[in-house]
Amino acid sequence: MTNFKEIAASLKFNSVIHNFNAGPSILPREVFQQASEAILDFNNMGLSILEIGHRTDAFQSVMDEAQSLLKELMQLNDSKKVLFLHGGASTQFFQVPMNLLDDNATGAYLDCGTWGIKAIKEAKLFGNVNVVASSKDRNYSYIPRQYTIPDDAAYFHYTTNNTIEGTQVAGIPDTHVPLVADMSSDILSEEMDFNRFSLIYAGAQKNIGAAGVNIVVVDEAILGKVNRKLPTMMDYREHIKNGSMLNTPPVFAVYVCMLTLRWLKKQGGVAGIQKINDQKAGLLYSTLESLPMFRLPVPIEDRSKMNVVFTMPDVETEKEFLSVCKSNGMYGVKGHRSVGGFRISLYNALPLSSVEAITDLIKDFAQKKG
Amino acid sequence: MTNFKEIAASLKFNSVIHNFNAGPSILPREVFQQASEAILDFNNMGLSILEIGHRTDAFQSVMDEAQSLLKELMQLNDSKKVLFLHGGASTQFFQVPMNLLDDNATGAYLDCGTWGIKAIKEAKLFGNVNVVASSKDRNYSYIPRQYTIPDDAAYFHYTTNNTIEGTQVAGIPDTHVPLVADMSSDILSEEMDFNRFSLIYAGAQKNIGAAGVNIVVVDEAILGKVNRKLPTMMDYREHIKNGSMLNTPPVFAVYVCMLTLRWLKKQGGVAGIQKINDQKAGLLYSTLESLPMFRLPVPIEDRSKMNVVFTMPDVETEKEFLSVCKSNGMYGVKGHRSVGGFRISLYNALPLSSVEAITDLIKDFAQKKG
């Protein structure tokens, strides 16, 4: 297979392109090479990964390794079950309350961004919702800090990182009720006591793998307590019982997760990648802060290390900057339409060199514009 | 890119391996090559298809082309909407009644195999189910023919092809109520008036593409009539309104569908592939029928052209045959545990040469054991 690898390595992947996409987003180059190869010949079987049965030993070991790597990297205890489910976080917005929230019970929610708003909307279909705090008053540009989570809530739900608004919750809220978190855009990016959560979910397409699969880490003890009857495919217990293969799983997407988790382990796991993530975010924020041309809407203590959001004084300068980025191979820097300006995403697979390249470009642009 | 293609072509894909997997299953070789290449460099962008945003023009044209190819190949009229959703048919087992069956209404179902049984189970969570006919009495080895579909049913649901039992429904049932069909294992394999159906669904991993995406073709006119409130992600109308991009779609799986549909069009579309499928099934069934050693449990008129099921007189001979298949590179021929014996799947992408190879082997085996 040496020839194949050489050719692959010589292809257009190069240092000229920097991918700051918010998701789907950059993955490690070696993952692309291994995934590309497996589509032609998986495990030297002479078959593509796309044409093998999910009940084969070959795929069973992919699923086993993906689950065990995630457990290891998150340092999960044995009460936590790891599932790779179809769909993304949007499905979890309703699957969580469907499984955990009885008609007359109350789910406590933190309202601090686009994804949380959607989660709250879906929860209301199943039970009562108590929004304990909101940052709507300032266009979700900060994380609320003063709030009380009622002890009788069925659970407390929050989004750890707000991809669109560029905010991130520091630390884990202190509460006695089961903690549920949407970690789609910052999972595995920094050390955290993941065992404090009763349920964690995350669309894979940022730090875990490719779009089309969703990670659920759940404590079995919180399941089976609601009165409603659940559709089989929506019941976490059914997926646990069937080892995350209740139906044909998204085979290739799970394989890409496994490859990405292997890569992460080689980087020194979550602790290792956190060091680089801290450097990346530190360099970009300090550069932007040092230049009066750029405005950072999020207060220091609430800034996301994954999605750096900033604006410029006028639309014309923003257009010009966007065009300079494009001509220098900087992709995916345009901000979400609801926030405007720019968003630079710094997920695990983005190398420090890409951040150095864009900070150089930022400094150069600011100097030229004087 | 010529070098890449040459290397890819020289890899282990060869005439020695024949893939009769029931699903995930064989796809056209050119699809594997194109998909493998896109993971390294999509559309000469210098980026992998796994790292591009789904809102980019590049992916929007993939989604557009996949939808329009499916419309063209199925000759759908304008009232039909085409969706590429997360998950597989198992999700549709409950999503269909959730969208179409009110608490007090009745869905009519044909009970003729493993997948239909699962669909019936999920429908009962939402309303009443009238099982109009069943072939349970003979282990689902035939298709019931004498039954009446009540005119007041909300819809009539059936599975067009039973992957596990090797049966297939010939023709389209005559009814005034909306027709709903699970076509996971025979969609696009033969000509059919697809416009007769109000809703068609199919997991992609047999005739359409890779696992992890599900096709739904729905007539908008039947939607929005139930009283219950639907979770956003479960509401077909929301997906239609958002052009099948309500959330991040399974980008790569949709791309593989597009490539496979392009290939099918080049084969002369559904009419073209049907001719080859008829040849394949004809050759295999006639070979098996000519040899007394093999037993075909399904009566001629109900036999599936996609999944050929047969048994042998004793377990020892079956073991021996399985071992001969393995040593001759014939993969995926073992029957489902609920039926036993053998199952040879003849999906669109399986070349006639593979069927010739296994019929030669079958004849050879029978002669030697003779």
Side-chain angles (χ1 to χ4, degrees):
Chain A
M1 303 298 287
T2 322
N3 273 340
F4 176 90
K5 279 185 181 156
E6 276 168 18
I7 299 284
S10 75
L11 282 180
K12 257 207 174 179
F13 278 113
N14 55 45
S15 54
V16 178
I17 292 187
H18 303 283
N19 185 357
F20 302 104
N21 267 326
S25 45
I26 188 170
L27 293 176
R29 189 179 302 190
E30 67 183 65
V31 169
F32 293 144
Q33 288 176 2
Q34 291 157 358
S36 173
E37 199 175 319
I39 285 183
L40 295 176
D41 185 4
F42 174 59
N43 272 5
N44 295 314
M45 288 171 74
L47 292 169
S48 168
I49 180 125
L50 303 182
E51 62 176 330
I52 61 159
H54 57 292
R55 305 278 178 207
T56 53
D57 292 344
F59 183 69
Q60 184 65 57
S61 37
V62 169
M63 179 60 89
D64 292 346
E65 186 176 343
Q67 289 179 324
S68 102
L69 278 168
L70 201 64
K71 273 191 178 173
E72 184 186 339
L73 290 162
M74 296 175 80
Q75 299 181 36
L76 298 174
N77 63 39
D78 287 342
S79 70
K80 303 294 195 239
K81 305 296 172 189
V82 172
L83 303 172
F84 287 81
L85 303 183
H86 289 277
S90 299
T91 300
Q92 295 308 310
F93 295 161
F94 81 86
Q95 194 170 349
V96 163
M98 195 184 231
N99 277 267
L100 304 181
L101 189 60
D102 249 327
D103 293 11
N104 297 318
T106 299
Y109 278 73
L110 186 65
D111 172 38
C112 64
T114 306
W115 304 111
I117 296 169
K118 288 178 193 267
I120 289 167
K121 184 185 165 208
E122 302 302 313
K124 286 180 178 167
L125 297 173
F126 296 92
N128 304 311
V129 170
N130 176 355
V131 176
V132 298
S134 170
S135 53
K136 193 180 176 184
D137 58 341
R138 295 210 313 267
N139 201 25
Y140 297 106
S141 62
Y142 71 101
I143 301 290
R145 281 163 195 269
Q146 300 300 327
Y147 54 84
T148 309
I149 301 165
D151 280 337
D152 61 348
Y155 57 84
F156 173 62
H157 176 285
Y158 75 109
T159 317
T160 51
N161 183 73
N162 293 289
T163 332
I164 291 176
E165 295 84 2
T167 62
Q168 190 170 18
V169 177
I172 300 175
D174 195 18
T175 174
H176 299 294
V177 310
L179 269 174
V180 177
D182 174 0
M183 296 196 183
S184 294
S185 54
D186 66 351
I187 193 167
L188 299 172
S189 68
E190 62 179 19
E191 287 194 286
M192 197 170 196
D193 184 359
F194 294 108
N195 288 308
R196 293 267 305 275
F197 296 85
S198 296
L199 195 151
I200 294 167
Y201 61 91
Q205 66 270 18
K206 288 139 199 311
N207 277 337
I208 305 173
V213 66
N214 185 61
I215 310 306
V216 171
V217 173
V218 61
D219 196 328
E220 231 178 330
I222 64 164
L223 303 177
K225 295 187 175 169
V226 289
N227 286 312
R228 73 178 61 85
K229 283 185 183 168
L230 302 170
T232 309
M233 282 292 288
M234 289 297 107
D235 189 337
Y236 296 122
R237 291 171 305 171
E238 293 288 337
H239 289 281
I240 293 170
K241 213 194 306 174
N242 288 278
S244 205
M245 293 227 246
L246 180 54
N247 73 331
T248 309
V251 171
F252 180 72
V254 175
Y255 180 66
V256 175
C257 289
M258 185 206 73
L259 295 175
T260 309
L261 296 172
R262 269 187 193 167
W263 169 87
L264 181 55
K265 190 176 167 182
K266 282 196 289 178
Q267 311 310 305
V270 177
I273 210 73
Q274 179 175 357
K275 279 183 199 153
I276 306 169
N277 287 338
D278 284 349
Q279 272 186 282
K280 282 151 51 182
L283 175 61
L284 183 52
Y285 278 119
S286 65
T287 305
L288 292 167
E289 283 216 309
S290 71
L291 302 163
M293 168 183 279
F294 300 99
R295 291 172 187 183
L296 293 156
V298 178
I300 293 173
E301 65 275 19
D302 296 334
R303 282 178 191 165
S304 167
K305 287 180 190 166
M306 292 284 105
N307 311 97
V308 177
V309 165
F310 59 94
T311 59
M312 293 167 84
D314 62 89
V315 176
E316 279 314 304
T317 318
E318 285 193 341
K319 271 188 188 161
E320 205 178 323
F321 181 67
L322 191 64
S323 143
V324 169
C325 284
K326 271 190 184 161
S327 59
N328 283 277
M330 312 272 171
Y331 283 6
V333 300
K334 201 176 176 184
H336 191 272
R337 61 186 181 280
S338 65
V339 177
F342 298 89
R343 171 176 53 176
I344 294 176
S345 296
L346 308 176
Y347 299 123
N348 284 356
L350 185 87
L352 179 59
S353 57
S354 284
V355 184
E356 288 166 347
I358 201 159
T359 50
D360 284 350
L361 184 137
I362 286 169
K363 283 185 279 188
D364 190 54
F365 182 83
Q367 195 174 26
K368 279 180 186 149
K369 297 299 289 182
Chain B
M1 304 299 286
T2 322
N3 274 341
F4 177 90
K5 278 184 182 155
E6 275 167 19
I7 299 282
S10 75
L11 280 182
K12 258 209 177 176
F13 278 114
N14 55 44
S15 53
V16 177
I17 291 186
H18 303 283
N19 184 358
F20 301 105
N21 266 326
S25 45
I26 187 168
L27 293 176
R29 189 178 303 190
E30 68 184 63
V31 169
F32 293 144
Q33 288 176 1
Q34 290 157 358
S36 173
E37 199 174 319
I39 286 184
L40 294 177
D41 185 4
F42 175 58
N43 273 3
N44 295 314
M45 288 170 75
L47 291 171
S48 167
I49 179 122
L50 302 182
E51 64 176 329
I52 61 160
H54 57 291
R55 306 279 178 206
T56 53
D57 292 345
F59 182 70
Q60 185 64 57
S61 40
V62 170
M63 179 60 89
D64 292 346
E65 187 176 343
Q67 290 179 324
S68 102
L69 279 168
L70 199 66
K71 274 192 177 171
E72 183 186 340
L73 291 162
M74 295 176 80
Q75 299 181 34
L76 298 174
N77 63 38
D78 287 343
S79 70
K80 303 294 195 244
K81 304 297 171 189
V82 172
L83 302 173
F84 288 80
L85 304 183
H86 289 275
S90 299
T91 301
Q92 295 308 311
F93 295 160
F94 82 86
Q95 195 171 349
V96 163
M98 195 183 229
N99 277 267
L100 303 181
L101 188 61
D102 248 326
D103 293 11
N104 297 317
T106 299
Y109 278 74
L110 187 64
D111 171 38
C112 64
T114 306
W115 304 111
I117 296 169
K118 289 177 191 268
I120 289 167
K121 184 186 164 206
E122 301 303 313
K124 285 179 178 168
L125 296 174
F126 297 93
N128 304 311
V129 170
N130 176 355
V131 176
V132 298
S134 170
S135 53
K136 192 180 177 183
D137 57 341
R138 295 210 311 268
N139 202 23
Y140 297 106
S141 62
Y142 71 101
I143 300 291
R145 281 164 195 268
Q146 301 300 325
Y147 56 84
T148 309
I149 300 164
D151 280 337
D152 62 348
Y155 58 84
F156 174 62
H157 176 285
Y158 75 108
T159 318
T160 52
N161 183 74
N162 292 289
T163 331
I164 291 176
E165 295 83 3
T167 62
Q168 190 170 18
V169 177
I172 300 175
D174 195 19
T175 174
H176 299 295
V177 310
L179 269 173
V180 176
D182 174 0
M183 296 195 183
S184 295
S185 55
D186 67 350
I187 193 166
L188 300 172
S189 68
E190 62 179 20
E191 288 195 286
M192 199 170 194
D193 184 358
F194 294 107
N195 288 309
R196 292 267 303 277
F197 295 85
S198 295
L199 193 151
I200 294 167
Y201 62 91
Q205 66 269 20
K206 290 142 198 310
N207 278 336
I208 305 171
V213 66
N214 184 61
I215 311 305
V216 171
V217 173
V218 61
D219 197 328
E220 231 176 329
I222 64 163
L223 302 177
K225 295 187 175 170
V226 288
N227 287 313
R228 75 178 60 85
K229 282 185 184 169
L230 302 171
T232 309
M233 282 293 288
M234 288 297 108
D235 190 336
Y236 296 122
R237 291 171 304 172
E238 293 288 337
H239 289 281
I240 293 170
K241 214 193 304 175
N242 288 278
S244 204
M245 293 226 247
L246 179 54
N247 72 331
T248 309
V251 171
F252 180 72
V254 174
Y255 180 67
V256 174
C257 289
M258 185 206 75
L259 294 175
T260 310
L261 296 172
R262 269 188 193 166
W263 169 87
L264 182 55
K265 189 175 169 183
K266 281 196 289 178
Q267 312 308 305
V270 178
I273 208 74
Q274 180 175 356
K275 280 184 199 151
I276 305 168
N277 286 339
D278 285 348
Q279 273 185 282
K280 280 150 53 182
L283 176 60
L284 183 52
Y285 278 119
S286 65
T287 304
L288 291 167
E289 283 217 309
S290 71
L291 301 164
M293 170 183 277
F294 299 100
R295 292 175 184 178
L296 293 155
V298 179
I300 292 172
E301 65 275 18
D302 296 334
R303 284 180 189 161
S304 166
K305 288 180 189 165
M306 292 284 105
N307 311 95
V308 178
V309 165
F310 58 95
T311 59
M312 293 168 85
D314 61 89
V315 177
E316 278 315 303
T317 319
E318 285 193 343
K319 271 189 188 162
E320 206 179 322
F321 181 68
L322 191 63
S323 145
V324 169
C325 285
K326 271 190 184 164
S327 59
N328 282 277
M330 312 273 170
Y331 283 6
V333 300
K334 201 175 175 183
H336 191 272
R337 61 185 181 280
S338 65
V339 177
F342 298 90
R343 171 174 55 176
I344 294 175
S345 297
L346 308 176
Y347 299 123
N348 285 355
L350 185 87
L352 180 59
S353 56
S354 284
V355 184
E356 288 165 347
I358 201 160
T359 50
D360 284 350
L361 183 138
I362 286 170
K363 282 186 280 189
D364 191 53
F365 183 83
Q367 198 174 23
K368 279 181 186 151
K369 299 296 291 180

PDB file of all heavy atoms in Angstrom, chain B residues 52 211 321:
ATOM      1  N   ILE B  52     -15.986  19.915   4.671  1.00  0.00           N
ATOM      2  CA  ILE B  52     -16.633  21.110   4.119  1.00  0.00           C
ATOM      3  C   ILE B  52     -17.996  21.332   4.785  1.00  0.00           C
ATOM      4  O   ILE B  52     -18.678  20.392   5.170  1.00  0.00           O
ATOM      5  CB  ILE B  52     -16.828  21.025   2.587  1.00  0.00           C
ATOM      6  CG1 ILE B  52     -17.717  19.840   2.208  1.00  0.00           C
ATOM      7  CG2 ILE B  52     -15.487  20.976   1.867  1.00  0.00           C
ATOM      8  CD1 ILE B  52     -18.337  19.966   0.838  1.00  0.00           C
ATOM      9  N   ALA B 211     -24.610   3.145   4.244  1.00  0.00           N
ATOM     10  CA  ALA B 211     -25.396   3.188   5.475  1.00  0.00           C
ATOM     11  C   ALA B 211     -25.291   4.559   6.131  1.00  0.00           C
ATOM     12  O   ALA B 211     -24.253   5.200   6.048  1.00  0.00           O
ATOM     13  CB  ALA B 211     -24.908   2.115   6.447  1.00  0.00           C
ATOM     14  N   PHE B 321     -20.816 -26.487   2.050  1.00  0.00           N
ATOM     15  CA  PHE B 321     -21.054 -25.519   0.969  1.00  0.00           C
ATOM     16  C   PHE B 321     -20.576 -24.121   1.382  1.00  0.00           C
ATOM     17  O   PHE B 321     -19.936 -23.407   0.604  1.00  0.00           O
ATOM     18  CB  PHE B 321     -22.536 -25.506   0.580  1.00  0.00           C
ATOM     19  CG  PHE B 321     -22.844 -24.560  -0.545  1.00  0.00           C
ATOM     20  CD1 PHE B 321     -22.378 -24.800  -1.840  1.00  0.00           C
ATOM     21  CD2 PHE B 321     -23.603 -23.409  -0.330  1.00  0.00           C
ATOM     22  CE1 PHE B 321     -22.651 -23.922  -2.880  1.00  0.00           C
ATOM     23  CE2 PHE B 321     -23.881 -22.519  -1.369  1.00  0.00           C
ATOM     24  CZ  PHE B 321     -23.404 -22.784  -2.640  1.00  0.00           C
TER      25      PHE B 321
END
